DNA sequence: GATAGGAAAGGACATATGTCCTAAAAATCA
DNA sequence: TGATTTTTAGGACATATGTCCTTTCCTATC
């Protein structure tokens, strides 16, 4: 199967065939990334708009002091490079493939030439970006209002339910402790402390760097209704 | 001067005459709010898109437990209700007039009918929303990476420089301590502690609930380059 | 001007979180 | 298999921040 066909299959699958005008459709390309590969790096010049159509990615930022903060994990459909396209700025956050990943990409130049005023694209971007905004808004308030214990409970709930949906089988709701710490914005050490508490209460089990959820009910009690998003 | 004329003056002033199509222009109205008045409340049904054209507003959210977090202060031009319009959701945050405020308002119904695919409006919204997103993104990372001392220094820098620009005269760079605490997401008590430190170092002066900046240089040293936005 | 009421500042203590280091466990390699 | 290295878990202590309460200072009022 040719790339163009694959691309069209994805566009149909996610019902975004009409997002790009004719002239642009031919100029879409399909980029594949291996697990662990960096898709784009904070601070670099942004050139392409990407649409995640297959696999899972991780978006994170690194502080001047070298600390890492995971901003989100994303599954299809998701857009990367949208903010940078519109604002004309360098890449804000680093994006890395967590599994094998396929992305449809379009150069900014093409979009600027053929799709600057293409309402379907603009509406699509608005939709995606407002969703991102809302998510970011809730994480901000959530992080400032609640302690790590609540945030971790909430994160475990959100991740474990998502994993359920994907046909991952036994590995099911495994969560890497280091990821959790970086996502919540706290130290590995402190997450470990909280984990001990959860363990003592029989809410989770631990296995070599990973957690899996035993009692969603118990976690819900801790998290209140404050599930991520 | 008729409202319509005033509205047109503002549209010209902020160079957004072409954002709305003809049919919508006639349906714009001008709403005025007194200092302290609530413009829209978290959780309510959203009905209008607002454009802030005069005065200063405060956007904040309240947690289930009743704690308040100030998300931002905004000056013209700013849009309120954009996310809600696009996503079709209830109002996310409460917005309150800090000074006397004028806003141009348009019912969602009008926009949906006449401007759903009006590229200038869509591009305008994209511009505003991506800016908001970026700001929120930086506050999130900033809040998670740095302690209150750094955040307060950074906030004081950002506010005092903005105030300079406005012709406020002597009151210049006065900052309310309670506002600062709520914006930074910490307790009044703790901000007070940090203030004592700043006072001891001669960075600021205090006067009955307000701070004013004495040494931007000193604060900069504390904040690193991490000025808000 | 004296006084009551309310807002602002600060003290004392508890809790949350970070840093640094050590112990335990697993993985790697000879 | 045993030794070495790497990764993970946890201990000890320091710092950051929250809560509650007391004190201090302003301001309005008579």
């Amino acid at each position: 199967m040719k790339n163009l066909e694959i691309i069209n299959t994805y566009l149909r699958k996610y019902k975004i065939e009409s997002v790009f005008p004719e002239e642009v459709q031919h100029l879409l390309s399909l980029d594949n990334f291996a697990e662990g590969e960096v898709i784009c790096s904070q601070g670099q010049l942004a050139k392409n708009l990407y649409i995640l159509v297959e696999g899972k990615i991780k978006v994170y930022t690194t502080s001047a002091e070298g600390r890492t903060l995971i901003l989100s994990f994303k599954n299809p459909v998701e857009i990367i490079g949208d903010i940078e396209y519109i604002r004309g700025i360098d890449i804000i956050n680093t994006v890395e493939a967590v599994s094998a990943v396929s992305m449809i990409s379009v150069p900014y130049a093409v979009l600027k030439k053929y799709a600057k005023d293409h309402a379907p694209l603009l509406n699509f971007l608005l939709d995606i970006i407002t969703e991102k905004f809302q998510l970011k808004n809730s994480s901000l308030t959530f992080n400032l209002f609640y302690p790590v214990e609540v945030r971790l409970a909430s994160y475990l709930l959100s991740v474990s339910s998502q994993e359920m949906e994907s046909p991952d089988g036994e590995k099911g709701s495994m969560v890497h402790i280091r990821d959790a710490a970086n996502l919540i914005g706290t130290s590995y050490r402190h997450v470990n402390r909280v984990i001990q508490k959860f363990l003592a209460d029989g809410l989770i089990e631990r296995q070599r760097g990973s957690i899996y959820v035993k009692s969603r009910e118990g976690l819900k009690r801790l998290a209140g209704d404050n599930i991520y998003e």
Side-chain angles (χ1 to χ4, degrees), chain A:
Chain A
M1 195 148 84
K2 276 265 179 62
N3 264 358
L4 263 182
E5 285 180 54
I6 305 181
I7 290 174
N8 284 325
T9 309
Y10 280 126
L11 291 182
R12 258 176 273 119
K13 178 171 177 189
Y14 297 119
K15 306 205 176 68
I16 49 176
E17 309 98 310
S18 55
V19 163
F20 298 108
E22 279 288 325
E23 304 94 312
V24 175
Q25 298 246 2
H26 309 283
L27 298 169
L28 301 176
S29 50
L30 190 67
D31 293 4
N32 294 303
F33 299 91
E35 178 177 334
E37 201 172 342
V38 169
I39 295 163
C40 58
S41 284
Q42 193 170 351
Q44 282 182 339
L45 180 65
K47 285 180 194 154
N48 297 295
L49 188 78
Y50 290 104
I51 306 177
L52 172 67
V53 291
E54 198 75 56
K56 187 176 183 177
I57 60 177
K58 171 165 87 172
V59 182
Y60 61 90
T61 184
T62 307
S63 75
E65 295 78 10
R67 285 181 60 193
T68 295
L69 178 68
I70 299 183
L71 297 166
S72 56
F73 290 94
K74 302 277 189 187
N75 297 297
V77 177
E78 189 62 44
I79 308 293
I80 298 296
D82 43 5
I83 313 283
E84 290 86 348
Y85 169 60
I86 291 161
R87 311 227 77 220
I89 55 175
D90 289 342
I91 292 170
I92 311 178
N93 301 129
T94 301
V95 179
E96 189 182 307
V98 172
S99 64
V101 158
S102 299
M103 306 190 95
I104 296 176
S105 79
V106 209
Y108 288 167
V110 170
L111 290 179
K112 268 180 199 139
K113 189 160 177 193
Y114 299 111
K116 214 175 144 193
D117 293 325
H118 187 61
L121 174 63
L122 300 180
N123 275 315
F124 177 64
L125 289 177
L126 273 172
D127 199 52
I128 295 272
I129 294 174
T130 49
E131 192 183 337
K132 283 189 185 179
F133 178 89
Q134 237 195 306
L135 182 62
K136 190 135 320 232
N137 193 49
S138 6
S139 18
L140 174 64
T141 53
F142 195 63
N143 281 314
L144 287 180
F145 276 144
Y146 303 100
V148 167
E149 178 173 323
V150 176
R151 285 185 267 157
L152 181 61
S154 176
Y155 173 62
L156 290 176
L157 284 173
S158 108
V159 173
S160 68
S161 72
Q162 284 179 235
E163 298 290 301
M164 293 302 185
E165 293 167 20
S166 82
D168 239 52
E170 33 181 63
K171 266 179 87 181
S173 35
M174 279 292 181
V175 182
H176 292 292
I177 297 180
R178 289 220 127 80
D179 282 348
N182 286 332
L183 191 100
I184 289 172
T186 189
S187 63
Y188 175 81
R189 177 65 190 90
H190 189 58
V191 168
N192 249 334
R193 253 189 294 253
V194 177
I195 286 178
Q196 290 200 37
K197 219 164 160 188
F198 287 3
L199 278 173
D201 296 346
L203 303 177
I204 59 172
E205 269 179 29
R206 162 152 72 184
Q207 217 181 88
R208 185 87 195 137
S210 290
I211 312 172
Y212 100 93
V213 175
K214 266 177 74 181
S215 158
R216 289 182 61 81
E217 292 317 309
L219 290 175
K220 268 183 198 160
R221 230 168 294 129
L222 268 172
D225 349 283
N226 308 302
I227 295 189
Y228 263 75
E229 208 202 355

